[in-house]
Amino acid sequence: MLAIVLIANVVIVLFWFHCRTNKQTLIEAQLCLALSGLLVGVLWVASLGHFYHAWQLPPDKIQQDVTILGRVISGGCVSKSATDANAHRHYIVAIQAIDEQRANDFLNPSAFNSLLSFGFEFRARLSQTQVEFANTKAFGHSDTPYEYNSTSLSYTTPLEGVVCLHDGDVFTALVKLKPAYGFANPVGFNRQQHLVSQFIQTTGYIKQVDAKTINHHHNHRYALGAWLSSLELFHHSWWSALLLGNKTLFTDDDWTILQRTGTGHLFSISGMHLSIVAGVCFLLLMPFIFVFGQGIILLSPLKRFTLSYSTFMSQQKGLRFRFTHARLRILVLLSVIIACCFYALLSGMALPVVRALLLLAIASWVTISKVAWRPVNIGLAMLALCLVLFPFSILNASFYLSIGAVICIWFFVSTLSIQHGRWYFAAAKLQIALTFIMMPLTTIWFSNVSVISLVANLAAMPIVTVLLPICLISLLISYFFSHAAIGQIGTEIIKYSDHLFGYLLSLLTFLSELNYSAFNLFVSTSSALCFLGAIILFCLPKWRFKYFCILLLLLPLVTSLGKWLPPNDEHWALHVLDAGQASAIAVSKGDRAIIIDSGAIYRGNATTATQALFPLLDSIKVQHVDHVIHTHSDNDHAGGLAAVMAHPFAKNAKFYSPTLGCERNAYVDWQGLSIRFLWPLKGNEQDNNAMSCVVKISGRSGSVLIPGDIEKESEYALITKTLNEETSTLKADILIAPHHGSDTSSTDIFIKHVSPKAVIYTQGYENRWKFPAVNVVERYKRNKVVQFFTSYDGYTIVSFEKDDYHVNTQRGGLKKRWYLKARAPRHLEWPIQ
C-alpha cells in the first residue's frame, strides 16, 4: 500500500514539472502540487501508523510484574493538594527499559529503526493509587511537596510519606503493563483512540517505587504550584488550572459546571491564553518602543518633514530609520516569542499551546522576512507543520476545536470584517459566531450541547482575559520576590482576584444548575457537518438560493433529532455493552427499554451506567425504562443500581433481583415480547452467583437467554426442571455466556439444552481470571456456536427483524478503524471459528 502511494506521488510530481513549462496549465500544476502534498501526508501518517503497531509491548511482559526505568513526561504533581497519598493519579511516562531490556528493542520489524531518530519514545500511561514506596525513609523524601523556607528561599520536605512523581523525574518502579486498549461502545469516551492520539503504546499501574533511585527534577512549574497552594486561596483548584494548566484538582462538580456552561476552554490553558499573553507582551513593550525608537511612532510625518525641509537628512535618515525600525521589530517579536515559550513551559507544553506557538512563530517569521503570505497561507503552513510534528493529533478533539476556532476567527475578521466598529461589539459578535460555529464540532466529539454557553462565555471571557495576565504576573512576582514589598503586593493582588473570581464562579454555578442548561445530542457526523455548512452559508453574503440551500443542509439534523419520528416498534434489539470485566445489557423496542445489569462502580463512579448505557438508550430515542433486572448483587453486575434508580428514564421502572420478583415461572408480557424468569425458585433469600436471575426474552424473530453468573449446579437444576417440558424453555438463539465464560459454568449438557446459535462473552481484555476459559471456548466450538467477545468485538448488537436476526459489533461492522485494532485474548488460539 505504501509503495503504491509513493509511486503515485512520484508520477504526480513528474506531471507537475511538465505543467510548469506550460503557462496554460498553471491551475493543473497547482492542483498536482496540492495532491502531491496530500499523498505525502497520507504516506507519513500511514508510516507512523505501521510504526505504532510495530512498536508494542512484548507478549512475555503483559500482565506480569516487571521493573521499568522511566521518565515522567506529564501528569506529575504540581501542587500540595495533588500529592495526597490517597489520590488517584495518572502519569504519562517514557519507558527507557523493562527488566533491563531497552525499549527500542521492542520494535519489530527493525526497518522502522530510522524513525527512532525523530525522538519517538515508548510511552505508557501509568496509574498510581495508594502505592507502596520502597526505601522512602532511606531516601529521606516524602510525598509532601516542598514547603517554602523563607530563610533559604528554597523548598524542603520535612515529613515522611509516599513519594509523588513530578514532570521530568527519572525513576525505577515495579509495575504491571498491558497494551494500550479501551472499551468500544457507540457512545462515551473513546479511550483507545485517545491513547493512540498521544502515541501511548501501553497502560498499567504502579505497584512499588524505589525512592532511592528517583532522580527528582523539581522545576519552577512545580515550585509555583506549591507556592500557589501555600497562598490558601478559596478557589485554588481553578487558579491552578487557569495559571498552571493543572486540572487534576477539579472535582466532579467542577467538571459538571464546565461541561454544562461550555466554558472548559477558558480554564484549560490553550491557544487563546497564549494569545492573551502575547498581546500583553506587546502592550508592555510599547513604552520601550517609544523611548528607543521615536522614529517608529513618528514614521510618516517625520519622513515627509525631513525630505521637504532638509536635503542632507533625506536619504541617510530614511536608511537609518528603516534599519532602526527593522531591528526593533525583530527584537519585539523575538521578545514576545520567548515570553510565549516560557508560558508554554509553564503550561506543561500542552498541545493546543504548542500549536498556537507555532502559528505565532510562523507569522513572526513572515513579518521579519517580509514574505508576501496571506493569512490563509500562514494558517496552512501552521496546519502542515502540526501534522508533521504531531500526526496523531488528528484523532483528538482539541485539534479540530483549535483549528476550527482559528479558521472561524480568520473568516470573520478577514473576510467579513467583523472587527469594524467598536471593539466590544466586535468581540461580542465574534464570541457569538464562535459559539455557533463550534457547536457542531462539540456535538460530534462530545455529544453534548450547552444551551447557556453563549451567556456564560460572554460573561466569563472578559473576566478571564483581564485576570489571567494580572494574576500570572502577580504570581511570578510574589514567587520570585517573596520577601520584598513588591512580592507582598503580588500576593494581595492574587487574593483580591480570588475574591472577585468567586462572583464569576457563583454565576457559572447558577447557570449550570438551570433546567435544560445543557443536554445530550446524538447525531451522526454527516448531520453535524451539514449543520456546520448551514451556519457558514448563513454568515455569507446573500445570494439567490442561499436560504433554500440552508434549509436543505438543516434537513439531516432535523430528521435525526425529531422526536416526532418514532423508532420502529416492530423490531427489537439486544444491546451488550463493552463494560470490561462486567455486564451491562439492554433490550430496546420502540421508545421503551429493559435493563439487565448495569456494570460496575469504581471509586464511586458508575461510568458504564452514566457514560455508556443511558447515553446509548438516549441515542436510539428510548424515553422510558420499564423493567430493571439485576441478576445478582455483585459489583460487576449491580454496581450501577443507584445511578439507574436516579435516572429520569427509570422513574417508573419495576426492579427485579434474586430476592425481589425474580422467581421461576414469573412472566411478563412486554410490548409483545415474552419475559420469563427461569431461576431461582420461589422463596429464595440468597443473592449470589448460584441464585442469579436467569431471564429469557423471546419474540417471533428470536430469543435471548441471560443467565447471570450461575454455575454448573444451577445449570443442572435448570435442566432438571425443564426435562418434562415438550418445548424446553432453555432453548434460545442468543446466549450470554454464564459467569463471563468461567470453567465453572457452560457445561456441555447445558449448551446442548440451550442450543444457541451464538454466544456472547461479557469479559475484559487481559482479565486476571483469563475468561473465557479455554475449555469453555472449546465446548461452544464443538457445538458449532458462533462466539463473540466484548473485549475483542466491543459493543455487540443483535437486531431482531421480522422472522430473522443479525449480529453486528463495534470493532467489526459498526466502526472499524486502524487505531481501534481488536486484540484477541492471548490465552486462546485465534481465530476461534
Side-chain angles (χ1 to χ4, degrees):
M1 179 63 183
L2 296 179
I4 295 175
V5 173
L6 187 60
I7 293 172
N9 192 54
V10 171
V11 172
I12 292 173
V13 171
L14 292 175
F15 183 70
W16 175 74
F17 276 112
H18 170 73
C19 293
R20 290 278 293 177
T21 61
N22 188 347
K23 294 183 179 179
Q24 295 180 351
T25 59
L26 183 59
I27 296 178
E28 289 84 345
Q30 293 175 344
L31 290 175
C32 287
L33 190 61
L35 183 58
S36 175
L38 179 62
L39 289 177
V40 168
V42 171
L43 183 65
W44 173 244
V45 175
S47 299
L48 290 182
H50 283 283
F51 171 62
Y52 176 84
H53 285 304
W55 201 14
Q56 294 292 325
L57 192 68
D60 61 331
K61 308 294 183 186
I62 297 176
Q63 288 292 63
Q64 302 296 320
D65 287 347
V66 295
T67 301
I68 67 166
L69 174 64
R71 175 176 54 83
V72 179
I73 298 176
S74 64
C77 302
V78 294
S79 69
K80 183 176 181 179
S81 301
T83 57
D84 182 5
N86 296 322
H88 188 80
R89 299 198 55 79
H90 297 282
Y91 304 108
I92 305 299
V93 176
I95 296 181
Q96 301 169 6
I98 299 180
D99 288 337
E100 299 183 352
Q101 182 181 2
R102 292 191 320 153
N104 288 358
D105 296 337
F106 303 155
L107 188 58
N108 185 25
S110 58
F112 289 105
N113 275 326
S114 58
L115 286 174
L116 296 176
S117 60
F118 285 87
F120 290 104
E121 299 172 308
F122 191 80
R123 292 189 175 190
R125 186 178 187 269
L126 302 179
S127 62
Q128 170 192 3
T129 306
Q130 296 180 334
V131 182
E132 177 187 353
F133 284 75
N135 302 316
T136 303
K137 186 173 181 180
F139 186 72
H141 197 75
S142 73
D143 67 325
T144 306
Y146 290 153
E147 295 182 357
Y148 193 71
N149 189 316
S150 60
T151 303
S152 60
L153 299 180
S154 61
Y155 290 82
T156 59
T157 55
L159 303 177
E160 293 185 1
V162 179
V163 176
C164 185
L165 301 173
H166 317 95
D167 292 356
D169 285 1
V170 178
F171 66 98
T172 300
L174 183 70
V175 302
K176 270 196 173 183
L177 302 173
K178 61 182 179 181
Y181 209 52
F183 301 154
N185 289 308
V187 294
F189 177 64
N190 194 326
R191 182 172 180 262
Q192 189 171 352
Q193 179 178 337
H194 179 70
L195 293 173
V196 175
S197 71
Q198 295 185 312
F199 212 84
I200 294 174
Q201 286 93 349
T202 183
T203 60
Y205 61 93
I206 301 173
K207 299 185 68 175
Q208 190 180 74
V209 172
D210 187 356
K212 289 196 300 183
T213 64
I214 299 178
N215 185 5
H216 284 278
H217 295 278
H218 299 144
N219 53 27
H220 282 296
R221 182 170 182 256
Y222 170 77
L224 281 170
W227 174 255
L228 183 64
S229 179
S230 69
L231 298 180
E232 297 182 352
L233 304 175
F234 287 108
H235 310 102
H236 169 244
S237 60
W238 294 83
W239 288 113
S240 184
L242 182 61
L243 300 179
L244 301 175
N246 175 33
K247 300 184 290 295
T248 60
L249 304 181
F250 277 156
T251 64
D252 291 340
D253 292 337
D254 295 335
W255 285 114
T256 300
I257 292 173
L258 294 177
Q259 181 185 20
R260 295 186 67 84
T261 58
T263 54
H265 64 102
L266 295 178
F267 302 99
S268 176
I269 294 181
S270 62
M272 182 203 75
H273 300 79
L274 185 121
S275 66
I276 294 174
V277 171
V280 171
C281 289
F282 273 115
L283 293 177
L284 293 178
L285 289 171
M286 286 299 294
F288 296 96
I289 297 174
F290 180 78
V291 173
F292 297 104
Q294 297 90 340
I296 297 177
I297 306 300
L298 305 174
L299 173 59
S300 296
L302 179 61
K303 187 173 181 181
R304 286 195 299 268
F305 174 75
T306 53
L307 287 174
S308 62
Y309 180 75
S310 180
T311 309
F312 73 93
M313 289 178 62
S314 59
Q315 190 67 24
Q316 291 80 1
K317 187 69 175 180
L319 291 173
R320 187 168 65 233
F321 169 76
R322 285 194 295 273
F323 173 75
T324 304
H325 175 262
R327 184 173 60 183
L328 285 175
R329 181 172 56 185
I330 293 173
L331 290 175
V332 168
L333 291 175
L334 287 178
S335 300
V336 171
I337 291 176
I338 291 173
C340 291
C341 287
F342 280 116
Y343 182 69
L345 291 172
L346 194 64
S347 71
M349 295 301 291
L351 191 54
V353 180
V354 175
R355 280 196 292 261
L357 185 59
L358 287 175
L359 179 60
L360 178 63
I362 293 173
S364 300
W365 174 79
V366 170
T367 302
I368 293 172
S369 60
K370 298 181 180 179
V371 177
W373 276 16
R374 300 167 64 183
V376 65
N377 300 120
I378 298 175
L380 289 174
M382 184 271 291
L383 178 61
L385 192 58
C386 286
L387 291 177
V388 170
L389 298 177
F390 317 106
F392 288 169
S393 63
I394 59 176
L395 302 178
N396 201 306
S398 68
F399 174 82
Y400 297 93
L401 296 177
S402 298
I403 299 300
V406 171
I407 293 175
C408 179
I409 294 172
W410 168 79
F411 177 75
F412 283 97
V413 172
S414 300
T415 306
L416 299 184
S417 302
I418 199 174
Q419 76 276 19
H420 291 168
R422 297 185 182 276
W423 66 269
Y424 42 84
F425 282 129
K429 288 190 289 185
L430 184 59
Q431 180 59 51
I432 294 172
L434 278 171
T435 300
F436 283 100
I437 288 289
M438 303 305 288
M439 190 179 295
L441 296 179
T442 56
T443 302
I444 291 173
W445 285 95
F446 306 113
S447 302
N448 184 273
V449 173
S450 173
V451 178
I452 44 85
S453 64
L454 178 59
V455 176
N457 278 281
L458 286 176
M461 180 72 76
I463 297 176
V464 171
T465 303
V466 172
L467 289 182
L468 173 63
I470 293 175
C471 293
L472 185 58
I473 294 173
S474 299
L475 177 64
L476 295 174
I477 290 175
S478 66
Y479 169 69
F480 287 107
F481 303 98
S482 58
H483 292 295
I486 190 173
Q488 298 298 323
I489 294 174
T491 300
E492 292 301 319
I493 291 175
I494 294 176
K495 291 185 176 181
Y496 185 72
S497 300
D498 183 51
H499 178 71
L500 293 177
F501 184 80
Y503 294 104
L504 172 61
L505 194 56
S506 298
L507 174 63
L508 295 180
T509 303
F510 169 75
L511 293 175
S512 68
E513 292 175 350
L514 294 175
N515 292 331
Y516 305 108
S517 59
F519 58 90
N520 292 330
L521 185 64
F522 301 97
V523 297
S524 64
T525 301
S526 57
S527 298
L529 291 178
C530 287
F531 179 43
L532 178 61
I535 295 174
I536 294 174
L537 283 184
F538 180 80
C539 297
L540 291 175
K542 187 177 180 180
W543 50 290
R544 185 175 181 182
F545 299 105
K546 174 180 176 178
Y547 295 107
F548 178 73
C549 293
I550 291 174
L551 181 62
L552 288 179
L553 289 173
L554 287 176
L555 283 179
L557 179 67
V558 173
T559 54
S560 63
L561 295 180
K563 295 294 184 182
W564 46 271
L565 291 176
N568 194 332
D569 289 336
E570 296 182 1
H571 303 159
W572 62 285
L574 171 73
H575 309 269
V576 182
L577 278 79
D578 183 4
Q581 191 58 39
S583 177
I585 302 169
V587 174
S588 66
K589 187 179 183 185
D591 63 349
R592 315 188 81 85
I594 301 170
I595 292 176
I596 304 101
D597 291 338
S598 54
I601 184 171
Y602 297 107
R603 294 187 297 276
N605 296 319
T607 53
T608 299
T610 59
Q611 300 179 20
L613 178 58
F614 279 111
L616 171 66
L617 296 179
D618 195 9
S619 68
I620 59 177
K621 299 183 180 181
V622 168
Q623 299 181 34
H624 305 281
V625 174
D626 296 327
H627 302 280
V628 178
I629 304 168
H630 282 101
T631 57
H632 59 296
S633 60
D634 284 358
N635 178 50
D636 59 333
H637 290 257
L641 174 60
V644 172
M645 295 178 69
H647 200 279
F649 282 2
K651 62 182 179 181
N652 296 319
K654 186 175 181 180
F655 287 78
Y656 301 83
S657 71
T659 59
L660 179 66
C662 183
E663 57 186 35
R664 182 168 177 78
N665 294 326
Y667 171 83
V668 176
D669 184 5
W670 182 70
Q671 299 191 96
L673 297 180
S674 169
I675 304 175
R676 292 185 179 275
F677 295 95
L678 308 181
W679 190 258
L681 299 177
K682 186 175 181 179
N684 170 66
E685 296 181 356
Q686 300 180 42
D687 192 345
N688 52 29
N689 286 359
M691 296 300 166
S692 295
C693 284
V694 178
V695 187
K696 181 180 178 181
I697 303 175
S698 55
R700 186 181 62 182
S701 52
S703 57
V704 178
L705 183 66
I706 305 171
D709 279 357
I710 62 171
E711 299 182 342
K712 59 180 67 176
E713 292 81 4
S714 301
E715 291 180 354
Y716 294 152
L718 275 170
I719 294 170
T720 302
K721 294 293 181 181
T722 59
L723 283 177
N724 297 326
E725 296 177 354
E726 294 183 5
T727 302
S728 174
T729 53
L730 281 179
K731 280 188 174 293
D733 297 304
I734 306 296
L735 171 66
I736 304 298
H739 202 178
H740 315 283
S742 169
D743 195 25
T744 60
S745 307
S746 295
T747 56
D748 196 64
I749 191 172
F750 180 76
I751 296 173
K752 292 182 182 300
H753 273 79
V754 177
S755 188
K757 297 177 183 177
V759 62
I760 303 173
Y761 301 98
T762 55
Q763 39 76 242
Y765 172 66
E766 291 296 335
N767 63 86
R768 70 182 69 177
W769 300 278
K770 294 186 177 181
F771 290 161
V774 176
N775 292 338
V776 171
V777 172
E778 289 298 323
R779 289 174 206 152
Y780 284 107
K781 188 175 181 179
R782 285 196 304 269
N783 286 277
K784 298 181 180 180
V785 180
V786 180
Q787 303 180 60
F788 297 92
F789 307 76
T790 55
S791 69
Y792 180 83
D793 299 294
Y795 161 79
T796 303
I797 178 174
V798 185
S799 301
F800 296 88
E801 302 175 359
K802 296 182 180 180
D803 298 326
D804 199 6
Y805 67 90
H806 60 271
V807 184
N808 214 336
T809 64
Q810 184 71 8
R811 285 197 176 94
L814 296 179
K815 191 173 183 180
K816 190 173 183 179
R817 304 288 187 274
W818 70 267
Y819 50 84
L820 299 179
K821 180 181 178 181
R823 294 186 180 276
R826 290 183 304 123
H827 66 284
L828 300 177
E829 292 185 7
W830 210 260
I832 296 299
Q833 309 302 336

